[in-house]
Amino acid sequence: MVYMYTTYWTFVAFPFFDHISPANSLSTALRSIRIGTRPSPLAKIQANAVADALRKVLSTNQDGTSFDISILDILATGDEIPAKRSDVPLAVQLVDFTGTLDEALLAKEIDIAVHSLKDIPPSPRWVSGIEIAACLERENPGDVLVSPLRGNQNGNGNRNGNQNDARNESQGRDGFKSIQSLPQGARVGTSSVRRQAQLLHLRKDLELINLRGSVGARITSLEEGTVDVLILAKAGLNRLLLKEKKECRGGESSFSNNLHIYEIPQLDILSGCCQGIIAATCRSTDQNTVELLRNSIDVVESRIAATAERAFLDTLDSFRPTLYKESMKWSGRPPLAACMKNTSVETSSCDNSGADEWTFRGILAKPDGSTVLSTEKVLKGETMDVERSRLLGIECAQTLLNRAGPSFY
């Protein structure tokens, strides 16, 4: 396991902060928290989001000692696996982004692990003894189409100059503005079988290039001409752009100035289960940390959505053996997607509070996009809670399983 300390804070309470919460009463037992994260820029932003959220509710210990938070970088197995263009269907290989952090938790080397919740394995395949103790406020859960502005492509990559010129003409000066506007045979960079299936369902002619690595590395591949466009999660891109904006302080933005970013409608590509939610996990037996996270930084609306979407994922993933023909088995997740949304007041977020209408959408697809099964359930006038959302996710998954039948793949 590779890890190193990167950040250290000491939080000191001031007399004019007269706020006492359940989190503060737990601080005596905890004294300090070690947060584990993958070392990528986005993962570190998310770990700092959890640390900052805790910082707002924690003060000094009751005995007057300061409360410490440290962040530990831990390399994930998935970070070390190079992507291959030949990995199609993309689900043939199970990519693990949580295992080494789980091991560090269970070994008590860290107290909290921070993940993009969409990266946590389905519950039947996740290690026991760890639980999702907090779900932060959800960012926009959708995907975006990222393309270089015309004139910023340098013509490198595996296509000749004439072909790049033709693509520039098709693209227009301001980048591509929809999946439908992509030229015939456009090269799309993605490492997600969920996106692969939905893209090919819309456009059989697209050439999918398996790209992994940090967002910055993938954008470099785009700028070098390895692909014509990228599909990225809007939440992660938003977090990176916000960090860059703060660091630039009004100056030039090297990260985003040369890119066109188009938000893909959810009807074209439905978002991944729990996409946009930062999760803080800890040992199930560490009740002090469980209570601290659950009582202080867990967002109920995010947890309701996450519970429904993970129940949907867990149910479909549990039935993988019945879905696959013997010749088509793979270790990765089935191509599926889901989003639970409060639809009483439409916004860009998936988790609005104080409304009485919730909508769940889910899909199950074949990797080549030849079949995409979908389901939608709208609940009106019901009080939504975690248990009701769990049952909703299971119900929607069962609907698709019944329609798929045995040997769907």
Side-chain angles (χ1 to χ4, degrees):
M1 188 180 302
V2 179
Y3 56 93
M4 60 182 177
Y5 282 100
T6 56
T7 308
Y8 185 89
W9 291 294
T10 300
F11 301 147
V12 180
F14 295 93
F16 50 82
F17 285 133
D18 186 24
H19 173 69
I20 299 176
S21 69
N24 288 333
S25 65
L26 290 167
S27 62
T28 298
L30 291 171
R31 292 190 177 274
S32 65
I33 290 180
R34 299 160 298 169
I35 297 176
T37 179
R38 292 164 58 198
S40 72
L42 178 57
K44 293 170 106 170
I45 288 171
Q46 294 177 164
N48 277 291
V50 171
D52 289 344
L54 288 172
R55 184 179 184 180
K56 293 177 181 178
V57 298
L58 294 174
S59 61
T60 56
N61 292 300
Q62 292 179 0
D63 60 4
T65 59
S66 58
F67 195 93
D68 303 326
I69 292 183
S70 55
I71 293 183
L72 191 67
D73 287 359
I74 299 175
L75 193 64
T77 303
D79 293 321
E80 301 175 298
I81 300 174
K84 298 178 182 179
R85 290 183 54 160
S86 60
D87 285 348
V88 177
L90 299 176
V92 294
Q93 185 178 28
L94 179 65
V95 181
D96 181 9
F97 290 116
T98 66
T100 53
L101 286 162
D102 293 338
E103 291 170 3
L105 265 179
L106 294 175
K108 299 185 178 180
E109 295 168 358
I110 56 175
D111 305 298
I112 296 170
V114 177
H115 305 281
S116 294
L117 183 48
K118 66 182 178 64
D119 290 336
I120 293 180
S123 298
R125 292 201 268 171
W126 194 25
V127 63
S128 61
I130 297 176
E131 68 177 85
I132 300 165
C135 297
L136 271 59
E137 184 174 359
R138 192 174 207 168
E139 249 281 10
N140 188 311
D143 289 324
V144 291
L145 183 71
V146 182
S147 56
L149 298 176
R150 185 177 172 187
N152 291 317
Q153 291 171 299
N154 61 21
N156 294 332
N158 57 4
R159 304 276 175 136
N160 62 43
N162 291 334
Q163 286 172 309
N164 280 328
D165 290 342
R167 289 172 187 277
N168 282 343
E169 288 300 322
S170 172
Q171 176 178 345
R173 183 172 61 85
D174 296 327
F176 294 113
K177 298 183 179 179
S178 69
I179 300 295
Q180 292 75 13
S181 70
L182 295 175
Q184 186 79 12
R187 300 161 298 160
V188 182
T190 178
S191 61
S192 163
V193 69
R194 166 186 65 85
R195 293 172 182 142
Q196 168 187 276
Q198 295 182 83
L199 283 166
L200 291 177
H201 187 68
L202 293 172
R203 294 278 306 271
K204 292 287 187 186
D205 61 288
L206 297 177
E207 180 185 356
L208 300 182
I209 308 297
N210 188 3
L211 285 183
R212 281 203 297 271
S214 68
V215 172
R218 281 178 275 175
I219 288 176
T220 297
S221 294
L222 174 68
E223 293 171 339
E224 291 176 346
T226 303
V227 294
D228 299 308
V229 294
L230 294 173
I231 308 290
L232 299 173
K234 184 171 177 61
L237 197 58
N238 281 353
R239 290 173 184 135
L240 286 166
L241 292 175
L242 178 61
K243 180 176 184 290
E244 184 191 44
K245 183 178 179 180
K246 290 178 179 178
E247 290 177 349
C248 289
R249 298 182 181 179
E252 287 293 313
S253 172
S254 60
F255 186 74
S256 59
N257 278 354
N258 297 330
L259 302 175
H260 179 267
I261 300 170
Y262 164 77
E263 186 171 348
I264 302 171
Q266 291 268 16
L267 290 176
D268 285 347
I269 298 183
L270 184 61
S271 55
C273 297
C274 304
Q275 188 160 298
I277 300 176
I278 298 172
T281 67
C282 63
R283 293 181 298 280
S284 303
T285 56
D286 184 1
Q287 284 303 305
N288 283 326
T289 303
V290 171
E291 290 178 31
L292 169 66
L293 294 171
R294 188 65 55 86
N295 293 336
S296 62
I297 67 172
D298 188 49
V299 177
V300 174
E301 293 79 11
S302 296
R303 180 167 288 277
I304 286 173
T307 300
E309 293 166 31
R310 282 191 61 81
F312 178 84
L313 167 66
D314 292 346
T315 303
L316 289 176
D317 192 76
S318 295
F319 279 85
R320 284 183 311 134
T322 66
L323 292 172
Y324 296 107
K325 296 176 183 177
E326 192 63 32
S327 60
M328 282 293 292
K329 290 185 178 179
W330 60 69
S331 61
R333 301 182 190 184
L336 57 85
C339 186
M340 173 79 160
K341 185 175 185 179
N342 190 319
T343 48
S344 291
V345 180
E346 290 287 351
T347 72
S348 61
S349 178
C350 226
D351 52 324
N352 313 295
S353 60
D356 58 359
E357 177 179 297
W358 290 79
T359 300
F360 182 97
R361 287 190 63 230
I363 68 162
L364 175 67
K366 293 185 176 181
D368 63 1
S370 59
T371 304
V372 176
L373 305 178
S374 64
T375 183
E376 181 173 312
K377 183 86 170 180
V378 180
L379 298 180
K380 295 183 179 181
E382 292 190 30
T383 300
M384 184 57 64
D385 57 23
V386 168
E387 178 60 17
R388 182 68 186 92
S389 67
R390 185 185 70 84
L391 295 175
L392 176 61
I394 294 173
E395 177 187 349
C396 290
Q398 290 289 355
T399 297
L400 294 186
L401 284 170
N402 292 337
R403 291 173 58 190
S407 301
F408 178 64
Y409 297 115

